[in-house]
Amino acid sequence: MRADSLLEGVAKRQVDAMAKAGTLSHTVGGTFVARMERAGIGYGSSSENLGYGYTDHVDVFAGWMASSAHRDNMLQPWVTRAGLARAKGADGRLYWALVMASDDRPPGPVMGDPGPLRPAARRPMARD
């Protein structure tokens, strides 16, 4: 998997929208498909993981790996590129988005939404 600046831009716009709204949502910035199309990424397979309340990238990735649906998104064999972003909400919480995609040019499936991920009970919020 390699870093992709276009996917990072999609992720950044989503975390900014979530931070501004103070909510963890796959649709606050528009549907995932619409956000990908607005960025000119209307091809291949793609998916998105969201989280909030995690203090750093190591912590949020550990949370995603502990969630079977989020882990499955990250470990799909077609995932070849990704963009990660975070933004701080007015309440100080960090919002995270990881957008992953294939290099396929023909239209492909958009993976199912595993739902947002919240930190474990040891943190201020519970996981989905």
Side-chain angles (χ1 to χ4, degrees), residues 2-20:
R2 68 182 185 283
D4 184 292
S5 61
L6 288 175
L7 296 177
E8 184 178 325
V10 173
K12 181 63 176 152
R13 286 185 289 281
Q14 182 63 13
V15 294
D16 287 346
M18 291 188 306
K20 181 178 179 181

Side-chain angles (χ1 to χ4, degrees), residues 41-125:
I41 311 170
Y43 57 84
S45 301
S46 55
S47 61
E48 173 180 68
N49 285 353
L50 303 179
Y52 82 105
Y54 290 95
T55 57
D56 59 36
H57 69 283
V58 173
D59 201 23
V60 74
F61 271 92
W64 287 328
M65 289 302 287
S67 162
S68 61
H70 292 90
R71 181 180 59 251
D72 288 350
N73 270 353
M74 294 189 299
L75 298 180
Q76 289 296 323
W78 49 260
V79 172
T80 56
R81 56 202 178 105
L84 177 68
R86 72 176 184 188
K88 187 180 283 192
D91 61 0
R93 285 189 189 135
L94 291 177
Y95 290 82
W96 297 85
L98 175 66
V99 177
M100 299 151 284
S102 68
D103 284 323
D104 299 341
R105 296 292 182 215
V110 173
M111 296 303 293
D113 174 5
L117 183 69
R118 294 174 179 87
R122 61 183 171 78
R123 306 259 190 227
M125 296 150 268

